[in-house]
Amino acid sequence: MNTRTFKMTGFMGLVLTLVFACSPKVNTDDLTAVNESETLITKQAVVFIAGYDKGESTYYKNAKKHFEGLHYKIVDDAYSLQEIISWLNKNHNEQDYSEIHIVNKGNSKKGLSLETTIHGELLSQESLLNCLKENKLPKLGSVLAEDSKLVFHTSELGKNKQLLQVLKQTFTANHQPKVFATPHATLFSGQFQKHFLAKVFYGYYPTAQSPGNIDLSKQFIRKYPLEDIHWLNAIRTKEEGEPGEAFSYKFNIPIRWEIEFSDDEDVPSLTDAYEIMDWIEDNEEYSNIIKDMGIKIERFRWNAYKSGQKVVIKGKTTAVCILKPMMQRNNPLSYVRTEFDNQRYYTQL
């Protein structure tokens, strides 16, 4: 079978020499204060709010408010890696970047919702490697301090060390930055803590075919037998009622494939969900896509139709995401620290 696939839908600061006039006595406290002040002048930290909210979501709005409260420089109009690198080069002004923060939705499997280039593919390991190979991205100039830090505030990105390694390569210039990302969910809209980390758990069902909360909770029990979470209560809870309480939200994951065939006779007639699933499982390319997503094929609602010499296959699953805020072991009412250099909760490369 000859097919053609269309896939639709990621310091050295300035050396300052201070010359003091001869004096019989030097105030070392004043000297220390001046040195610290001059050091601060030669460094800068910046946060890229690299996305925008849709519908009722306030994720990026809350993240911006959080970092504004910490007095970071905020850039909220760069939605691609190309724009971020260009901004860093343009706004360097002989002040090396000590910290570069990038806030963007995403996950460990698919990567980021950040574009690689303007209107380009979303950022993943594959798309980023292709961009680097084809020299589509601008080169980062000599803008980094010796101990610069590149921090991604993207849920579960810390699980994907291969992508983090490529990102580290992309941002290597006069120095190689240390890269940080959490393997957990990162949230900016808590009822009791504005920025916190959470363990994340997923359940799925075919969109518009909910099995009901009780059967859905049994799916979580089977999938996560060692977790001490009351899954039924968590599914029913939409936000923390008290610090550390598990809660949930839902979102849909769509699939659309247009597969063109060289001959009309080769176009399969897929009349129901079972025939579609059988066809997918018999075709390695498409079955691997489903396997890579980590979602069982029967958890999608499937339909298909013919269009000339191609078949269009659509699938959609509803993901139920349960979040359990991470609390300190010795104080279950206190959230764990969200400092990115906390190696217990952040991956560092």
Side-chain angles (χ1 to χ4, degrees):
M1 177 178 68
N2 181 20
T3 67
R4 182 156 56 91
T5 306
F6 295 85
K7 295 181 181 177
M8 171 185 162
T9 26
F11 143 142
M12 287 194 319
L14 295 175
V15 177
L16 302 177
T17 303
L18 301 177
V19 179
F20 292 89
C22 293
S23 171
K25 184 177 180 181
V26 176
N27 187 325
T28 56
D29 289 339
D30 290 344
L31 177 59
T32 300
V34 170
N35 282 332
E36 288 178 351
S37 175
E38 296 293 356
T39 301
L40 288 173
I41 290 174
T42 65
K43 298 188 299 182
Q44 60 176 326
V46 60
V47 178
F48 292 92
I49 306 298
Y52 50 90
D53 294 312
K54 298 178 181 179
E56 298 180 357
S57 174
T58 58
Y59 179 82
Y60 293 108
K61 177 183 177 181
N62 295 332
K64 181 179 179 180
K65 184 177 180 180
H66 168 75
F67 284 106
E68 284 177 337
L70 298 176
H71 307 293
Y72 279 89
K73 167 69 178 177
I74 305 293
V75 179
D76 60 1
D77 59 354
Y79 306 125
S80 70
L81 204 55
Q82 175 187 350
E83 292 167 294
I84 289 174
I85 295 174
S86 296
W87 190 97
L88 293 171
N89 288 337
K90 182 179 179 180
N91 294 276
H92 177 228
N93 297 327
E94 296 185 342
Q95 289 183 305
D96 294 333
Y97 298 103
S98 57
E99 295 179 17
I100 301 168
H101 296 258
I102 298 176
V103 179
N104 186 255
K105 287 185 176 181
N107 57 55
S108 61
K109 291 184 178 295
K110 297 191 69 175
L112 286 72
S113 57
L114 180 71
E115 296 173 348
T116 49
T117 57
I118 298 173
H119 303 309
E121 291 186 81
L122 298 184
L123 198 154
S124 65
Q125 182 181 351
E126 181 182 4
S127 65
L128 181 51
L129 284 171
N130 287 337
C131 275
L132 295 176
K133 182 179 179 180
E134 298 171 9
N135 294 316
K136 290 183 176 180
L137 291 173
K139 300 290 185 182
L140 186 65
S142 298
V143 302
L144 300 180
E146 188 173 1
D147 57 351
S148 289
K149 299 174 177 64
L150 175 63
V151 187
F152 288 92
H153 300 275
T154 301
S155 292
E156 300 184 275
L157 185 60
K159 294 179 181 179
N160 193 336
K161 292 185 178 180
Q162 291 178 317
L163 175 54
L164 288 177
Q165 191 62 56
V166 182
L167 285 164
K168 183 172 186 173
Q169 174 188 344
T170 304
F171 280 86
T172 294
N174 53 323
H175 296 290
Q176 189 172 58
K178 289 184 178 179
V179 180
F180 301 83
T182 181
H184 308 292
T186 180
L187 297 95
F188 293 95
S189 57
Q191 175 98 5
F192 307 100
Q193 180 92 355
K194 293 307 178 185
H195 181 210
F196 66 95
L197 303 179
K199 288 185 177 181
V200 59
F201 309 93
Y202 295 102
Y204 306 93
Y205 62 83
T207 299
Q209 298 174 14
S210 172
N213 288 342
I214 293 177
D215 285 344
L216 192 57
S217 68
K218 292 177 181 178
Q219 182 185 143
F220 282 93
I221 291 171
R222 291 191 297 269
K223 190 173 181 180
Y224 306 103
L226 301 181
E227 294 294 333
D228 184 22
I229 295 176
H230 194 297
W231 298 109
L232 182 57
N233 285 349
I235 291 170
R236 291 171 172 169
T237 303
K238 303 310 174 189
E239 63 180 16
E240 288 178 280
E242 58 186 34
E245 183 180 12
F247 60 99
S248 69
Y249 70 96
K250 298 178 180 179
F251 59 94
N252 295 330
I253 302 174
I255 286 177
R256 177 188 169 91
W257 296 320
E258 292 189 13
I259 307 156
E260 189 167 302
F261 296 81
S262 57
D263 195 306
D264 289 346
E265 295 181 358
D266 292 331
V267 182
S269 178
L270 306 175
T271 59
D272 59 37
Y274 296 104
E275 289 186 355
I276 296 171
M277 288 188 285
D278 287 342
W279 187 91
I280 293 172
E281 290 177 337
D282 288 340
N283 287 267
E284 185 176 3
E285 178 181 359
Y286 299 99
S287 63
N288 285 340
I289 293 174
I290 301 298
K291 289 176 183 177
D292 288 344
M293 295 177 72
I295 306 172
K296 293 182 178 180
I297 191 171
E298 62 268 20
R299 297 272 161 80
F300 287 84
R301 185 187 68 189
W302 295 104
N303 61 72
Y305 62 89
K306 289 183 179 181
S307 178
Q309 288 184 231
K310 65 184 177 184
V311 63
V312 179
I313 297 177
K314 294 182 179 181
K316 184 179 286 188
T317 184
T318 296
V320 180
C321 178
I322 292 180
L323 297 166
K324 180 70 171 69
M326 301 181 71
M327 315 300 285
Q328 296 182 19
R329 292 183 180 180
N330 60 350
N331 187 354
L333 294 179
S334 296
Y335 296 79
V336 302
R337 295 187 299 114
T338 55
E339 289 89 345
F340 56 82
D341 57 354
N342 183 350
Q343 294 186 34
R344 183 174 294 278
Y345 302 108
Y346 285 81
T347 300
Q348 175 181 326
L349 292 181

